[in-house]
């Protein structure tokens, strides 16, 4: 039966002496799992769960290798040995999948087209070689090793031909298309135990070092829309784990890229972009979404949750343990549960067990991990969620603001918002300066949504999804927004500001050229009670500006007498491409508000959002149904103006208990200039002032006020008035504020000397 012999790794003294197998399991690890199965009823239950789930069924090879190495089932080894012998003599072809080089026509619109040899990943044969090493005779080993080396040589020799547009950079190179063979070849070098080859692959064009030095942005983010992250994480983790056993961790987990990227941070990308869990259907389990952008699907999740239904009415299931897609290579790839199991074993303090606990099947009290990494069942009552800091990412070109940043973020109802900049990313859909998602009270309030009839999958020029008009942004003259930075060197053409100290989270982005002859800036201020949203646009000539949010739910407090059906409307043109069932409200220059109420999923909660907006001349509001959203109540709330310069100043207020549960009863303009806006926000337990500067010379102080209240700020400030203290966050140089009593002044957490006379608090105090 199975026996182990020492594989002497003599190429370099730095390598540890190891035995085959060692990539998935060492003999000692296999024995420990076997011992648990023999003595622990919980491990036996885990084994039965594996047999009946995608843990085994979706990757027969790894399951058979487990059966052979761990369970000592000889037949499973023989099955995989026969497959491995077919690998002998295999070498990578210039273009695989029966592509004829003589007749190949490269798809100039998609750099990955025709690069099928980039997806020729042989990880399964590498794992077979490692696990079945002792079932091979010397000649068979030599044959397999020759095939492994042929892949390594092919990569190191330049792996051509390349598509004419292929480049090793952030936007021509696609991880799901171009990384499979490369990372699989890294694993081959590790399996051979040859440090010279390991080092060569590590340092090669498109190798591990390049990936973490030059490709990863802001230390952890990859450069496609976030739906493609899934493809190769499993092989990357196998590579790193095996290197640790060889004593060569510096080529894997131990490597820190030039910008600070590491495998640990990269594995943590999903929690970093995670949104709070969404309230489950009555018969389901919570869903944990992530920031979603681009054209591949409407929402991506860490935990998909049982009981949810897709657009076709079919029930969703949790992310599978393994899943394959020919687009990403011929192998089933390890997915989120498997990554997080490895992550939890390697870094138990990082909170992966919290998410695993949410992936349990209906009726399960605990999550039953696979036995591949010998984890014990995970009890949801015993796990601690990780912290959830906000972040603004200049290189990747987006921000995620979280009102709550501690472990309570994941299950609480505090709001979070994601904001896109004007930075290109692969599968970019022209969503510059859009709000991507807005979440509060465990509901998704805003999201990219809708699809014209007949369209599905990628946008590919779709004039709704491939356009700001299919997102929560501003469209100018009906034009398509264009990024101002190509993504390979961050966002140098944009001015990005942030203040994440709390209690507000502030981010702002400014750029010229997203639309021709328009300079624009969007600033978001998120608190536990509201999202303040300022969109400033400047042009030398009159433009048509359409500001829009796409919200789940239906408007409920629009007085019928005030709104006019589109077909009866006699004002300026109000028809918008794709929008249906439009009603129009001409508010002139008056402030206005409208509430959007979602349907209840179980217990009556009355969840929704109230949109308040300050007035501006010539404002017209359209309330419409987005395309393809008939089955899910949804609203396009579109605000249109014709002007050269304008400021859309909105307050997005989440509520529960129906519209009457909204807390804010005053949202008013204190003062507005060409370079700053100050507003007053009051309601139950709320007495705030928010000042946002915009335009040129942003570092110069702006004074704004109305004769009673005045503020001098640089950039941004939140002034929160309480009975004992006035707390200020931001860059405040001066204020004059009527107050009751004798409150202290605290600026950015530090006491500040102020003067109080005649009921007015003044800062700085007079000498």
């Amino acid at each position: 039966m199975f026996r182990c012999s020492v594989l002497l790794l003599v190429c370099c003294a730095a390598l540890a002496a190891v035995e085959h197998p060692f990539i998935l399991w060492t003999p000692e690890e296999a024995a420990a799992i076997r011992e648990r199965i023999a003595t622990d009823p919980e491990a036996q239950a885990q084994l039965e769960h594996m047999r009946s789930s995608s843990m085994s069924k979706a990757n027969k090879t790894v399951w058979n290798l487990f059966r052979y190495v761990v369970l000592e089932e000889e037949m499973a080894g023989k099955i995989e040995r026969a497959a491995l012998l077919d690998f002998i003599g295999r070498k990578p072809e210039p273009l695989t999948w029966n592509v004829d080089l003589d007749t190949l026509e490269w798809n100039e619109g998609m750099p990955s087209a025709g690069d099928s040899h980039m997806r020729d990943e042989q990880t399964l044969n590498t794992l077979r070689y490692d696990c079945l090493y002792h079932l091979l005779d010397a000649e068979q080993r030599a044959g397999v090793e020759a095939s492994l080396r042929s892949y390594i040589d092919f990569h190191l020799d330049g792996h051509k031909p390349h598509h004419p547009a292929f480049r090793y950079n952030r936007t021509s190179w696609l991880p799901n298309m171009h990384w499979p063979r490369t990372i699989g070849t890294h694993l081959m070098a590790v399996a051979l135990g040859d440090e010279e080859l390991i080092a060569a692959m590590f340092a090669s064009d498109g190798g591990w070092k390049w990936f973490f030095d030059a490709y990863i942005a802001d230390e952890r983010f990859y450069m496609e829309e976030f739906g493609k992250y899934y493809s190769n994480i499993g092989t990357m983790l196998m590579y790193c784990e095996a290197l640790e056993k060889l004593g060569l961790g510096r080529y894997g987990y131990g490597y820190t890229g030039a910008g600070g990227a590491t495998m640990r941070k990269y594995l943590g990308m999903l929690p970093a972009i995670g949104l709070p869990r969404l309230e489950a259907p009555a018969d389901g389990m919570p869903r944990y979404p992530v920031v979603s952008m681009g054209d591949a699907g409407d929402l991506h999740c860490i935990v998909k949750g049982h009981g949810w239904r897709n657009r076709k009415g079919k029930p969703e299931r949790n992310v599978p343990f393994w899943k394959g897609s020919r687009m990403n290579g011929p192998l089933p790839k390890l997915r989120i549960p498997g990554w997080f199991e490895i992550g939890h074993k390697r870094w138990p303090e990082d909170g992966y067990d919290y998410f695993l606990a949410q992936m349990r099947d209906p009726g399960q009290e605990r999550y039953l991990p696979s036995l591949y990494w010998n984890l014990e069942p995970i009890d949801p009552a015993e796990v601690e969620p990780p912290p959830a800091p906000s972040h603004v990412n200049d290189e990747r070109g987006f921000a995620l603001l979280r009102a709550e940043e501690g472990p309570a973020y994941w299950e609480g109802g505090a709001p979070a918002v994601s904001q896109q900049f004007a930075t290109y990313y692969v599968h970019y859909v022209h969503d510059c300066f859009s709000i991507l998602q807005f979440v509060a009270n465990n509901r998704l309030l805003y999201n990219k949504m809708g699809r014209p009839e007949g369209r599905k999958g990628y946008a590919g020029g779709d004039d709704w999804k491939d356009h700001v008009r299919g997102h929560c942004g501003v469209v100018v003259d009906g034009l398509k927004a264009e990024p101002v930075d190509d993504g390979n060197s961050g966002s140098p053409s944009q001015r990005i500001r942030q203040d994440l100290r709390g209690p507000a989270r502030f981010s702002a982005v400014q750029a010229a050229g997203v639309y021709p002859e328009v300079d624009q800036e969007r600033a978001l201020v998120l608190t536990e009670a509201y999202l303040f949203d300022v969109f400033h646009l400047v042009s030398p000539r009159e433009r048509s500006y359409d500001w829009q949010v796409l919200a789940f739910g239906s408007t409920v407090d629009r007085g019928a007498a005030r709104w006019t059906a589109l077909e009866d409307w006699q004002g300026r043109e109000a028809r918008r491409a794709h929008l249906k069932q439009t009603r129009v409200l001409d508010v002139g220059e008056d402030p206005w508000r409208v509430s959007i109420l979602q349907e209840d999923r179980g217990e009556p909660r009355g969840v929704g959002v109230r949109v308040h907006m300050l007035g501006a001349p010539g404002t017209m509001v359209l309330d419409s149904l987005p395309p393809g959203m008939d089955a899910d109540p949804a609203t396009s709330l579109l605000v249109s103006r014709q002007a050269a310069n304008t400021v859309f100043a909105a307050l997005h207020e989440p509520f529960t208990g129906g519209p009457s549960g909204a807390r804010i009863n005053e949202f008013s303009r204190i003062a507005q200039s060409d370079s700053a806006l100050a507003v007053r926000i009051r309601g139950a337990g709320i007495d705030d002032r928010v000042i946002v500067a915009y335009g040129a010379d942003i570092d110069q102080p702006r004074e704004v006020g109305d004769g009673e209240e005045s503020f001098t700020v640089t950039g941004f400030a939140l002034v929160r008035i309480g009975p004992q203290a006035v707390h200020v966050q931001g860059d405040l140089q001066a204020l004059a504020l009527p107050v009751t009593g004798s409150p202290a002044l605290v600026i950015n957490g530090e006491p500040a000397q102020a003067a109080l006379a005649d009921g007015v608090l003044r800062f700085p105090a007079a000498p």
Side-chain angles (χ1 to χ4, degrees), residues 3-76:
R3 64 185 180 83
C4 298
S5 64
V6 175
L7 171 65
L8 297 178
L9 303 174
V10 296
C11 66
C12 179
L15 277 91
V18 300
E19 300 173 332
H20 281 300
F22 70 94
I23 296 176
L24 293 176
W25 314 281
T26 63
E28 293 78 14
E29 288 169 339
I33 299 171
R34 218 166 25 248
E35 174 67 16
R36 271 198 65 215
I37 293 171
T39 60
D40 184 353
E42 290 188 335
Q44 294 162 14
Q46 289 174 253
L47 180 61
E48 291 308 309
H49 180 59
M50 290 177 71
R51 291 186 193 277
S52 62
S53 71
S54 68
M55 292 176 178
S56 63
K57 294 179 178 180
N59 191 331
K60 294 291 188 182
T61 296
V62 172
W63 172 242
N64 281 337
L65 295 177
F66 178 84
R67 290 170 58 204
Y68 174 68
V69 175
V70 176
L71 303 182
E72 297 185 316
E73 297 179 15
E74 292 189 34
M75 182 55 67

Side-chain angles (χ1 to χ4, degrees), residues 37-265:
I37 293 171
T39 60
D40 184 353
E42 290 188 335
Q44 294 162 14
Q46 289 174 253
L47 180 61
E48 291 308 309
H49 180 59
M50 290 177 71
R51 291 186 193 277
S52 62
S53 71
S54 68
M55 292 176 178
S56 63
K57 294 179 178 180
N59 191 331
K60 294 291 188 182
T61 296
V62 172
W63 172 242
N64 281 337
L65 295 177
F66 178 84
R67 290 170 58 204
Y68 174 68
V69 175
V70 176
L71 303 182
E72 297 185 316
E73 297 179 15
E74 292 189 34
M75 182 55 67
K78 291 179 180 179
I79 292 170
E80 296 306 324
R81 178 179 175 274
L84 178 60
L85 294 180
D86 286 340
F87 181 62
I88 294 174
R90 176 73 180 265
K91 61 181 181 179
E93 300 295 333
L95 286 169
T96 52
W97 298 354
N98 300 316
V99 176
D100 185 346
L101 273 175
D102 294 331
T103 61
L104 176 65
E105 293 184 8
W106 296 98
N107 181 347
E108 294 297 335
M110 183 177 179
S112 61
D115 289 351
S116 48
H117 62 310
M118 295 289 192
R119 284 160 272 170
D120 182 19
E121 183 183 351
Q122 295 295 322
T123 290
L124 294 185
N125 278 319
T126 304
L127 298 177
R128 289 182 179 115
Y129 164 75
D130 180 54
C131 290
L132 308 177
Y133 186 85
H134 304 287
L135 286 182
L136 305 176
D137 60 32
E139 182 179 355
Q140 291 165 341
R141 288 175 193 160
V144 173
E145 290 167 4
S147 293
L148 297 176
R149 290 178 186 275
S150 74
Y151 275 79
I152 296 169
D153 291 342
F154 177 65
H155 180 82
L156 297 178
D157 288 343
H159 53 84
K160 293 183 178 179
H162 293 155
H163 184 286
F166 180 85
R167 303 287 187 276
Y168 274 119
N169 61 32
R170 287 175 170 170
T171 56
S172 298
W173 184 92
L174 310 178
N176 64 309
M177 298 285 199
H178 298 134
W179 191 227
R181 178 192 44 74
T182 305
I183 186 56
T185 305
H186 279 67
L187 189 65
M188 291 174 174
V190 172
L192 291 170
D194 186 330
E195 186 176 0
E196 183 177 349
L197 291 180
I198 292 169
M201 284 299 307
F202 169 85
S204 65
D205 286 344
W208 191 270
K209 185 177 187 301
W210 172 83
F211 187 87
F212 286 94
D213 278 355
Y215 179 74
I216 297 299
D218 300 292
E219 301 188 353
R220 70 171 73 245
F221 303 111
Y222 83 130
M223 289 298 296
E224 283 193 84
E225 40 79 15
F226 290 145
K228 297 292 178 57
Y229 174 68
Y230 60 81
S231 184
N232 302 288
I233 310 301
T235 302
M236 294 176 76
L237 290 168
M238 293 175 194
Y239 164 78
C240 289
E241 290 291 325
L243 284 170
E244 293 294 313
K245 296 168 187 176
L246 291 178
L248 298 177
R250 61 186 177 275
Y251 296 114
Y253 288 140
Y255 184 69
T256 299
T262 64
M263 185 63 205
R264 184 177 187 177
K265 293 176 183 175

Side-chain angles (χ1 to χ4, degrees), residues 229 237 267-268 270-271 302-303 335-345 351-353 355-356 359 375:
Y229 174 68
L237 290 168
L267 181 62
L270 288 183
I302 301 174
V303 182
R335 299 297 295 272
I336 296 172
W339 313 337
F340 283 16
E341 288 186 14
I342 297 173
H344 175 54
K345 185 170 185 178
Y352 292 111
D353 56 341
F355 297 103
L356 290 169
M359 297 178 193
L375 294 176

